[in-house]
Amino acid sequence: DQQVKQNSPSLSVQEGRISILNCDYTNSMFDYFLWYKKYPAEGPTFLISISSIKDKNEDGRFTVFLNKSAKHLSLHIVPSQPGDSAVYFCAASGNSGAGSYQLTFGKGTKLSVIP
Amino acid sequence: ETGVTQSPTHLIKTRGQQVTLRCSSQSGHNTVSWYQQALGQGPQFIFQYYREEENGRGNFPPRFSGLQFPNYSSELNVNALELDDSALYLCASSSGGASGIYEQYFGPGTRLTVT
């Protein structure tokens, strides 16, 4: 059963506009959330994270929002740039029963920013 | 500061063979995690090593095993390869120790193809 879900496999956005990527989770034990960006033939690159005690974290053009009651988080990219085109993975961390703070990933959303 | 490195980049093996993948962690990091990423999926946690001991394991059979060395580098060994083992294998390092909620930094991965 998927504990982290990214329901949109792809998203297209015009350059300069806002990109909003969504993620839902089911496991209440998750207490730290991360977004990674992945280009083809490269490993995932850490982008931004948020602790469950916060509801917003901002880093330059990237902002992550967390709604614990809805078990939902989102990544906002403003303004979107062509170089942002990549696959974005949502990941959650917490002791999900395996005895370590592993990352549980969603399936990813492919973002295309159109010039 | 050196990032996470992995070797080899690509590997082709025959069903039933054994394979060893290698990872050097980022400078200052003492925890290494291994993930398997199948096509179109998010990375899946295999296991994590801290202080040369396995510290948590995902839903993978015992033919997946690993080692961590005193310099924090790590190996992933897979015995009796199956066709479904074909995937991108990612190594990630972090500085959180056995139970830290810290960002994990990924290497570029090893693409394993089993024929």
CSV table of all heavy atoms in Angstrom, one decimal, chain A residues 2 31-32 34 36 38 41-46 49 89 93-94 98-108, chain B residues 35 37 40-45 48 55-58 88 90 98-109:
chain,number,residue,atom,x,y,z
A,2,GLN,N,0.6,2.2,-0.9
A,2,GLN,CA,1.4,3.3,-1.1
A,2,GLN,C,1.2,4.3,0.1
A,2,GLN,O,0.1,4.8,0.3
A,2,GLN,CB,1.1,4.0,-2.4
A,2,GLN,CG,2.2,3.9,-3.4
A,2,GLN,CD,2.0,4.9,-4.5
A,2,GLN,OE1,0.9,5.0,-5.1
A,2,GLN,NE2,3.0,5.7,-4.8
A,31,ASP,N,7.2,12.4,10.2
A,31,ASP,CA,7.3,13.7,10.9
A,31,ASP,C,8.3,14.6,10.2
A,31,ASP,O,8.7,15.7,10.8
A,31,ASP,CB,7.7,13.5,12.4
A,31,ASP,CG,8.9,12.6,12.5
A,31,ASP,OD1,9.6,12.3,11.5
A,31,ASP,OD2,9.2,12.1,13.7
A,32,TYR,N,8.8,14.3,9.1
A,32,TYR,CA,9.7,15.1,8.3
A,32,TYR,C,9.4,14.8,6.8
A,32,TYR,O,9.3,13.7,6.4
A,32,TYR,CB,11.1,14.8,8.7
A,32,TYR,CG,12.1,15.9,8.4
A,32,TYR,CD1,12.2,17.0,9.2
A,32,TYR,CD2,13.0,15.8,7.3
A,32,TYR,CE1,13.1,18.0,9.0
A,32,TYR,CE2,13.9,16.8,7.1
A,32,TYR,CZ,14.0,17.9,7.9
A,32,TYR,OH,14.9,18.9,7.7
A,34,LEU,N,10.3,15.9,2.6
A,34,LEU,CA,11.3,16.4,1.8
A,34,LEU,C,10.9,16.4,0.3
A,34,LEU,O,10.0,15.6,-0.1
A,34,LEU,CB,12.6,15.6,1.9
A,34,LEU,CG,13.2,15.3,3.3
A,34,LEU,CD1,12.6,14.0,3.9
A,34,LEU,CD2,14.7,15.2,3.2
A,36,TYR,N,12.6,16.2,-3.6
A,36,TYR,CA,13.8,16.0,-4.4
A,36,TYR,C,13.5,16.3,-5.8
A,36,TYR,O,12.3,16.0,-6.3
A,36,TYR,CB,14.3,14.6,-4.2
A,36,TYR,CG,15.0,14.3,-2.9
A,36,TYR,CD1,14.2,13.9,-1.8
A,36,TYR,CD2,16.3,14.3,-2.8
A,36,TYR,CE1,14.9,13.6,-0.6
A,36,TYR,CE2,17.0,14.0,-1.6
A,36,TYR,CZ,16.2,13.7,-0.5
A,36,TYR,OH,16.9,13.4,0.7
A,38,LYS,N,14.9,15.4,-9.8
A,38,LYS,CA,15.7,14.4,-10.5
A,38,LYS,C,15.7,14.7,-12.0
A,38,LYS,O,14.7,14.7,-12.6
A,38,LYS,CB,15.2,13.0,-10.2
A,38,LYS,CG,16.1,11.9,-10.7
A,38,LYS,CD,15.7,10.5,-10.4
A,38,LYS,CE,16.7,9.5,-10.8
A,38,LYS,NZ,17.0,9.5,-12.2
A,41,ALA,N,19.3,10.4,-15.8
A,41,ALA,CA,20.7,9.9,-15.6
A,41,ALA,C,21.4,10.5,-14.4
A,41,ALA,O,22.7,10.5,-14.4
A,41,ALA,CB,21.5,10.1,-16.9
A,42,GLU,N,20.7,11.1,-13.5
A,42,GLU,CA,21.3,11.7,-12.3
A,42,GLU,C,20.5,11.1,-11.1
A,42,GLU,O,19.4,10.7,-11.2
A,42,GLU,CB,21.3,13.2,-12.3
A,42,GLU,CG,22.2,13.8,-13.3
A,42,GLU,CD,22.2,15.3,-13.2
A,42,GLU,OE1,21.7,15.9,-12.2
A,42,GLU,OE2,22.7,16.0,-14.1
A,43,GLY,N,21.2,11.2,-9.9
A,43,GLY,CA,20.5,10.8,-8.7
A,43,GLY,C,19.6,12.0,-8.2
A,43,GLY,O,19.7,13.1,-8.7
A,44,PRO,N,18.6,11.7,-7.4
A,44,PRO,CA,17.8,12.8,-6.8
A,44,PRO,C,18.6,13.8,-6.1
A,44,PRO,O,19.5,13.5,-5.4
A,44,PRO,CB,16.8,12.1,-5.9
A,44,PRO,CG,16.9,10.6,-6.3
A,44,PRO,CD,18.3,10.4,-6.8
A,45,THR,N,18.2,15.1,-6.3
A,45,THR,CA,18.9,16.2,-5.6
A,45,THR,C,18.0,16.8,-4.6
A,45,THR,O,16.8,17.2,-4.9
A,45,THR,CB,19.3,17.3,-6.6
A,45,THR,OG1,20.1,16.7,-7.6
A,45,THR,CG2,20.0,18.5,-6.0
A,46,PHE,N,18.4,16.9,-3.4
A,46,PHE,CA,17.6,17.5,-2.3
A,46,PHE,C,17.3,18.9,-2.6
A,46,PHE,O,18.1,19.7,-3.0
A,46,PHE,CB,18.4,17.4,-1.0
A,46,PHE,CG,17.7,18.2,0.1
A,46,PHE,CD1,16.5,17.8,0.7
A,46,PHE,CD2,18.3,19.4,0.6
A,46,PHE,CE1,15.9,18.5,1.7
A,46,PHE,CE2,17.7,20.1,1.6
A,46,PHE,CZ,16.5,19.7,2.2
A,49,SER,N,12.9,20.9,2.6
A,49,SER,CA,12.3,20.0,3.6
A,49,SER,C,11.5,20.8,4.6
A,49,SER,O,11.5,22.0,4.7
A,49,SER,CB,13.4,19.2,4.3
A,49,SER,OG,14.2,20.1,5.0
A,89,PHE,N,10.1,14.4,-6.7
A,89,PHE,CA,9.7,13.4,-5.8
A,89,PHE,C,9.4,14.0,-4.4
A,89,PHE,O,10.2,14.7,-3.9
A,89,PHE,CB,10.8,12.3,-5.6
A,89,PHE,CG,10.9,11.4,-6.8
A,89,PHE,CD1,12.0,11.7,-7.7
A,89,PHE,CD2,10.1,10.4,-7.1
A,89,PHE,CE1,12.2,10.9,-8.9
A,89,PHE,CE2,10.2,9.6,-8.2
A,89,PHE,CZ,11.3,9.8,-9.1
A,93,SER,N,9.8,11.0,6.0
A,93,SER,CA,10.7,10.3,6.9
A,93,SER,C,10.1,10.1,8.2
A,93,SER,O,9.3,11.0,8.7
A,93,SER,CB,12.0,11.2,7.0
A,93,SER,OG,12.9,10.5,7.9
A,94,GLY,N,10.4,9.0,8.8
A,94,GLY,CA,9.9,8.7,10.1
A,94,GLY,C,10.1,7.2,10.4
A,94,GLY,O,10.3,6.5,9.4
A,98,ALA,N,10.4,0.0,10.3
A,98,ALA,CA,11.6,-0.7,9.9
A,98,ALA,C,12.7,-0.5,10.8
A,98,ALA,O,13.8,-1.1,10.6
A,98,ALA,CB,11.9,-0.4,8.4
A,99,GLY,N,12.6,0.4,11.8
A,99,GLY,CA,13.6,0.6,12.8
A,99,GLY,C,14.6,1.6,12.4
A,99,GLY,O,15.6,1.8,13.1
A,100,SER,N,14.4,2.3,11.3
A,100,SER,CA,15.3,3.4,11.0
A,100,SER,C,14.5,4.5,10.3
A,100,SER,O,13.4,4.3,9.9
A,100,SER,CB,16.4,2.9,10.0
A,100,SER,OG,15.9,2.5,8.8
A,101,TYR,N,15.2,5.7,10.2
A,101,TYR,CA,14.5,6.8,9.6
A,101,TYR,C,14.7,6.8,8.1
A,101,TYR,O,15.5,7.6,7.6
A,101,TYR,CB,14.9,8.1,10.2
A,101,TYR,CG,14.2,8.4,11.5
A,101,TYR,CD1,14.6,7.7,12.7
A,101,TYR,CD2,13.1,9.1,11.6
A,101,TYR,CE1,14.0,7.9,13.9
A,101,TYR,CE2,12.4,9.3,12.8
A,101,TYR,CZ,12.8,8.7,13.9
A,101,TYR,OH,12.2,8.9,15.1
A,102,GLN,N,14.1,5.8,7.4
A,102,GLN,CA,14.2,5.7,6.0
A,102,GLN,C,13.3,6.7,5.3
A,102,GLN,O,12.4,7.3,5.9
A,102,GLN,CB,13.7,4.3,5.6
A,102,GLN,CG,12.2,4.1,5.9
A,102,GLN,CD,11.8,2.7,5.6
A,102,GLN,OE1,11.4,2.4,4.6
A,102,GLN,NE2,11.9,1.8,6.6
A,103,LEU,N,13.6,7.0,4.0
A,103,LEU,CA,12.7,7.8,3.2
A,103,LEU,C,11.7,7.0,2.5
A,103,LEU,O,12.1,6.0,1.9
A,103,LEU,CB,13.6,8.7,2.3
A,103,LEU,CG,14.5,9.7,2.9
A,103,LEU,CD1,15.3,10.4,1.8
A,103,LEU,CD2,13.7,10.7,3.7
A,104,THR,N,10.5,7.4,2.5
A,104,THR,CA,9.4,6.7,1.7
A,104,THR,C,9.0,7.7,0.6
A,104,THR,O,8.6,8.9,0.9
A,104,THR,CB,8.2,6.4,2.5
A,104,THR,OG1,8.7,5.5,3.6
A,104,THR,CG2,7.2,5.6,1.7
A,105,PHE,N,9.2,7.3,-0.7
A,105,PHE,CA,9.0,8.2,-1.8
A,105,PHE,C,7.6,8.0,-2.5
A,105,PHE,O,7.1,6.9,-2.5
A,105,PHE,CB,10.1,8.0,-2.8
A,105,PHE,CG,11.4,8.6,-2.5
A,105,PHE,CD1,12.3,7.8,-1.7
A,105,PHE,CD2,11.8,9.8,-3.0
A,105,PHE,CE1,13.5,8.4,-1.4
A,105,PHE,CE2,13.0,10.3,-2.7
A,105,PHE,CZ,13.9,9.6,-1.9
A,106,GLY,N,7.1,9.1,-3.1
A,106,GLY,CA,6.0,9.0,-4.0
A,106,GLY,C,6.6,8.6,-5.4
A,106,GLY,O,7.8,8.4,-5.5
A,107,LYS,N,5.7,8.4,-6.4
A,107,LYS,CA,6.1,8.0,-7.7
A,107,LYS,C,6.7,9.1,-8.5
A,107,LYS,O,7.3,8.8,-9.6
A,107,LYS,CB,5.0,7.3,-8.4
A,107,LYS,CG,4.6,6.0,-7.8
A,107,LYS,CD,3.6,5.2,-8.7
A,107,LYS,CE,3.3,3.9,-8.2
A,107,LYS,NZ,2.3,3.1,-9.0
A,108,GLY,N,6.5,10.3,-8.1
A,108,GLY,CA,7.1,11.5,-8.8
A,108,GLY,C,6.1,12.2,-9.7
A,108,GLY,O,5.1,11.6,-10.2
B,35,TYR,N,18.7,2.4,-2.0
B,35,TYR,CA,17.4,2.4,-2.6
B,35,TYR,C,17.4,1.8,-4.0
B,35,TYR,O,18.4,1.9,-4.7
B,35,TYR,CB,16.9,3.9,-2.7
B,35,TYR,CG,16.6,4.6,-1.4
B,35,TYR,CD1,17.7,5.2,-0.7
B,35,TYR,CD2,15.4,4.6,-0.9
B,35,TYR,CE1,17.5,5.8,0.5
B,35,TYR,CE2,15.1,5.3,0.4
B,35,TYR,CZ,16.2,5.9,1.0
B,35,TYR,OH,16.0,6.5,2.2
B,37,GLN,N,15.3,1.9,-7.6
B,37,GLN,CA,14.3,2.7,-8.3
B,37,GLN,C,14.0,1.9,-9.6
B,37,GLN,O,14.8,1.9,-10.5
B,37,GLN,CB,14.7,4.1,-8.6
B,37,GLN,CG,13.6,4.9,-9.3
B,37,GLN,CD,14.0,6.3,-9.5
B,37,GLN,OE1,15.2,6.7,-9.5
B,37,GLN,NE2,13.0,7.2,-9.8
B,40,GLY,N,9.7,4.2,-13.7
B,40,GLY,CA,8.4,4.8,-13.5
B,40,GLY,C,8.0,4.9,-12.0
B,40,GLY,O,6.8,5.2,-11.7
B,41,GLN,N,8.9,4.5,-11.1
B,41,GLN,CA,8.5,4.4,-9.7
B,41,GLN,C,9.5,5.3,-8.9
B,41,GLN,O,10.5,5.8,-9.4
B,41,GLN,CB,8.7,3.0,-9.2
B,41,GLN,CG,7.9,1.9,-9.9
B,41,GLN,CD,6.4,2.1,-9.7
B,41,GLN,OE1,6.0,2.3,-8.6
B,41,GLN,NE2,5.7,2.0,-10.8
B,42,GLY,N,9.1,5.6,-7.7
B,42,GLY,CA,10.0,6.3,-6.8
B,42,GLY,C,11.0,5.3,-6.2
B,42,GLY,O,10.8,4.1,-6.2
B,43,PRO,N,12.1,5.9,-5.7
B,43,PRO,CA,13.0,5.0,-5.0
B,43,PRO,C,12.4,4.2,-3.8
B,43,PRO,O,11.6,4.8,-3.1
B,43,PRO,CB,14.1,6.0,-4.5
B,43,PRO,CG,14.0,7.2,-5.4
B,43,PRO,CD,12.5,7.3,-5.7
B,44,GLN,N,12.8,2.9,-3.7
B,44,GLN,CA,12.3,2.1,-2.6
B,44,GLN,C,13.5,1.8,-1.7
B,44,GLN,O,14.5,1.3,-2.1
B,44,GLN,CB,11.7,0.8,-3.1
B,44,GLN,CG,10.2,1.0,-3.5
B,44,GLN,CD,9.5,-0.3,-3.6
B,44,GLN,OE1,9.9,-1.2,-4.3
B,44,GLN,NE2,8.5,-0.5,-2.8
B,45,PHE,N,13.3,1.9,-0.4
B,45,PHE,CA,14.3,1.7,0.6
B,45,PHE,C,14.6,0.2,0.7
B,45,PHE,O,13.8,-0.6,0.9
B,45,PHE,CB,13.8,2.2,2.0
B,45,PHE,CG,14.7,1.9,3.1
B,45,PHE,CD1,15.8,2.7,3.3
B,45,PHE,CD2,14.3,1.0,4.1
B,45,PHE,CE1,16.7,2.5,4.4
B,45,PHE,CE2,15.2,0.8,5.2
B,45,PHE,CZ,16.3,1.5,5.3
B,48,GLN,N,19.7,0.4,5.5
B,48,GLN,CA,20.5,1.5,6.0
B,48,GLN,C,21.6,1.0,6.9
B,48,GLN,O,21.4,0.0,7.6
B,48,GLN,CB,19.6,2.5,6.8
B,48,GLN,CG,20.3,3.8,7.2
B,48,GLN,CD,19.4,4.8,7.9
B,48,GLN,OE1,19.1,4.6,9.1
B,48,GLN,NE2,18.9,5.7,7.2
B,55,ASN,N,20.9,-1.0,10.0
B,55,ASN,CA,20.0,-0.2,10.9
B,55,ASN,C,18.7,0.0,10.2
B,55,ASN,O,18.4,1.1,9.8
B,55,ASN,CB,20.7,1.1,11.3
B,55,ASN,CG,19.7,2.0,12.0
B,55,ASN,OD1,19.1,1.6,13.0
B,55,ASN,ND2,19.6,3.3,11.6
B,56,GLY,N,18.0,-1.1,10.0
B,56,GLY,CA,16.7,-0.9,9.3
B,56,GLY,C,16.7,-1.5,7.9
B,56,GLY,O,17.7,-1.4,7.2
B,57,ARG,N,15.7,-2.2,7.6
B,57,ARG,CA,15.6,-2.9,6.3
B,57,ARG,C,14.2,-2.7,5.7
B,57,ARG,O,13.2,-2.8,6.4
B,57,ARG,CB,15.9,-4.3,6.5
B,57,ARG,CG,16.1,-5.1,5.2
B,57,ARG,CD,16.5,-6.6,5.5
B,57,ARG,NE,16.7,-7.3,4.2
B,57,ARG,CZ,17.9,-7.4,3.7
B,57,ARG,NH1,19.0,-6.9,4.3
B,57,ARG,NH2,18.1,-8.1,2.6
B,58,GLY,N,14.1,-2.5,4.4
B,58,GLY,CA,12.8,-2.5,3.7
B,58,GLY,C,12.4,-3.9,3.3
B,58,GLY,O,12.9,-4.9,3.8
B,88,LEU,N,17.6,1.1,-11.2
B,88,LEU,CA,18.6,2.0,-10.8
B,88,LEU,C,18.8,1.9,-9.3
B,88,LEU,O,17.9,2.0,-8.6
B,88,LEU,CB,18.2,3.5,-11.2
B,88,LEU,CG,19.2,4.6,-10.8
B,88,LEU,CD1,20.4,4.5,-11.7
B,88,LEU,CD2,18.5,6.0,-11.0
B,90,LEU,N,20.4,3.4,-6.0
B,90,LEU,CA,20.8,4.6,-5.5
B,90,LEU,C,21.4,4.5,-4.1
B,90,LEU,O,20.8,3.8,-3.2
B,90,LEU,CB,19.7,5.6,-5.5
B,90,LEU,CG,19.1,6.0,-6.8
B,90,LEU,CD1,17.7,6.6,-6.7
B,90,LEU,CD2,20.0,7.0,-7.5
B,98,ALA,N,21.8,6.9,13.9
B,98,ALA,CA,20.9,5.8,13.8
B,98,ALA,C,19.4,6.2,13.7
B,98,ALA,O,18.6,5.5,13.2
B,98,ALA,CB,21.1,4.9,15.1
B,99,SER,N,19.1,7.3,14.3
B,99,SER,CA,17.7,7.7,14.2
B,99,SER,C,17.5,9.2,13.9
B,99,SER,O,16.5,9.8,14.2
B,99,SER,CB,17.1,7.4,15.6
B,99,SER,OG,17.7,8.1,16.6
B,100,GLY,N,18.4,9.7,13.2
B,100,GLY,CA,18.3,11.2,12.8
B,100,GLY,C,17.3,11.4,11.7
B,100,GLY,O,17.2,10.7,10.8
B,101,ILE,N,16.6,12.5,11.9
B,101,ILE,CA,15.7,13.0,10.8
B,101,ILE,C,16.5,14.0,10.0
B,101,ILE,O,16.3,15.2,10.2
B,101,ILE,CB,14.4,13.6,11.4
B,101,ILE,CG1,13.9,12.7,12.5
B,101,ILE,CG2,13.4,13.8,10.4
B,101,ILE,CD1,12.8,13.3,13.3
B,102,TYR,N,17.3,13.5,9.1
B,102,TYR,CA,18.2,14.4,8.4
B,102,TYR,C,18.0,14.2,6.9
B,102,TYR,O,17.7,13.1,6.5
B,102,TYR,CB,19.6,14.2,8.8
B,102,TYR,CG,19.9,14.6,10.3
B,102,TYR,CD1,19.9,13.6,11.2
B,102,TYR,CD2,20.1,15.9,10.6
B,102,TYR,CE1,20.1,14.0,12.6
B,102,TYR,CE2,20.3,16.3,11.9
B,102,TYR,CZ,20.3,15.3,12.9
B,102,TYR,OH,20.5,15.6,14.2
B,103,GLU,N,18.3,15.2,6.1
B,103,GLU,CA,18.3,15.1,4.7
B,103,GLU,C,19.3,14.0,4.2
B,103,GLU,O,20.4,13.9,4.8
B,103,GLU,CB,18.6,16.4,4.0
B,103,GLU,CG,17.5,17.5,4.2
B,103,GLU,CD,17.7,18.3,5.5
B,103,GLU,OE1,18.8,18.2,6.0
B,103,GLU,OE2,16.8,19.1,5.9
B,104,GLN,N,18.9,13.3,3.2
B,104,GLN,CA,19.8,12.3,2.6
B,104,GLN,C,20.2,12.8,1.3
B,104,GLN,O,19.4,13.4,0.5
B,104,GLN,CB,19.1,10.9,2.5
B,104,GLN,CG,18.7,10.3,3.8
B,104,GLN,CD,18.2,8.9,3.7
B,104,GLN,OE1,18.3,8.3,2.7
B,104,GLN,NE2,17.6,8.4,4.8
B,105,TYR,N,21.5,12.6,1.0
B,105,TYR,CA,22.1,13.1,-0.3
B,105,TYR,C,22.4,11.9,-1.1
B,105,TYR,O,23.2,11.1,-0.7
B,105,TYR,CB,23.2,14.0,0.0
B,105,TYR,CG,22.8,15.3,0.8
B,105,TYR,CD1,22.7,15.3,2.2
B,105,TYR,CD2,22.5,16.4,0.1
B,105,TYR,CE1,22.3,16.4,2.8
B,105,TYR,CE2,22.0,17.6,0.8
B,105,TYR,CZ,21.9,17.6,2.1
B,105,TYR,OH,21.5,18.7,2.8
B,106,PHE,N,22.0,12.0,-2.4
B,106,PHE,CA,22.1,10.8,-3.3
B,106,PHE,C,23.2,10.9,-4.2
B,106,PHE,O,23.6,12.0,-4.7
B,106,PHE,CB,20.8,10.7,-4.1
B,106,PHE,CG,19.6,10.1,-3.3
B,106,PHE,CD1,18.9,11.0,-2.5
B,106,PHE,CD2,19.3,8.8,-3.3
B,106,PHE,CE1,17.8,10.5,-1.7
B,106,PHE,CE2,18.3,8.3,-2.6
B,106,PHE,CZ,17.5,9.1,-1.8
B,107,GLY,N,23.8,9.7,-4.5
B,107,GLY,CA,24.7,9.6,-5.6
B,107,GLY,C,24.0,9.5,-7.0
B,107,GLY,O,22.8,9.5,-7.0
B,108,PRO,N,24.7,9.4,-8.0
B,108,PRO,CA,24.1,9.3,-9.4
B,108,PRO,C,23.5,8.0,-9.7
B,108,PRO,O,22.7,7.9,-10.7
B,108,PRO,CB,25.3,9.6,-10.3
B,108,PRO,CG,26.5,9.1,-9.5
B,108,PRO,CD,26.2,9.4,-8.1
B,109,GLY,N,23.8,7.0,-8.9
B,109,GLY,CA,23.2,5.7,-9.1
B,109,GLY,C,24.0,4.7,-10.0
B,109,GLY,O,24.9,5.1,-10.8
